[in-house]
Each structure stands twice: as C-alpha cells, then as structure tokens.
Amino acid sequence: MLDRYFLRHPRSVGESYGEHAATAFGFGIRMIGGGLAAMVHAVIPALCTRTASATVKRLYDQMRARQPAFAEQPPAHRAPEWQLEYEI
C-alpha cells in the first residue's frame, strides 16, 4: 500500500518521493498565484491582464520539459491559432 500510494508514481517519472513532492508543491503554489491573479482581473479588468495566462504558459513549458516525448513538438500556446490580437 505504501508503494501504491506514495512511491509508484514518483518512480515512474524518475523522481524520489521528496523530489516529486517538491515539484508538485511548486506547481500548486504557482497555480494558486495564477488563480488569484485571474480573480483580481475578474474584479478589476485593467489589473493582471496577462498574469494568469503567463503562469499557465510557464507551467505548461515546465511540464513539457519534464516529458521528453513532447520536446520535439512546438508548444500549443505558440501556434498561430492561439495568438490573441490586442488593440491599443
């Protein structure tokens, strides 16, 4: 049971329990920060206009870097159909 709940997955991605916990915790903290920025933006649209999306993109890039099979493909958020045009 210890192996099933705590060790199997970290080993499957080449990490110890502690390494995996630190990585997952770091991702979680950044996701909370991005979520808070999105909520601030919801209330005051002029603030945090790109913070949440930049957070998602950084996390996506970090996740891709951890998965070598995806290294050959360009990130989805850099594809032309994902680019937003802003009027100033």
Side-chain angles (χ1 to χ4, degrees):
M1 187 155 109
L2 178 69
D3 181 71
R4 179 176 168 206
Y5 287 110
F6 296 100
L7 304 174
R8 188 180 301 166
H9 175 66
R11 268 197 313 262
S12 75
V13 294
E15 296 176 334
S16 69
Y17 174 81
E19 291 169 330
H20 192 71
T23 299
F25 192 81
F27 269 73
I29 290 294
R30 285 175 279 187
M31 290 168 68
I32 290 169
L36 290 172
M39 292 189 301
V40 167
H41 178 69
V43 176
I44 307 170
L47 298 179
C48 304
T49 58
R50 297 185 183 180
T51 308
S53 60
T55 300
V56 169
K57 289 174 184 178
R58 276 194 308 275
L59 290 172
Y60 175 76
D61 287 341
Q62 289 174 351
M63 187 65 71
R64 281 176 39 87
R66 296 170 48 81
Q67 300 176 16
F70 292 106
E72 300 167 6
Q73 302 171 15
H77 64 82
R78 293 200 181 119
E81 59 271 17
W82 279 65
Q83 303 306 310
L84 300 176
E85 295 182 25
Y86 294 98
E87 291 185 28
I88 299 177

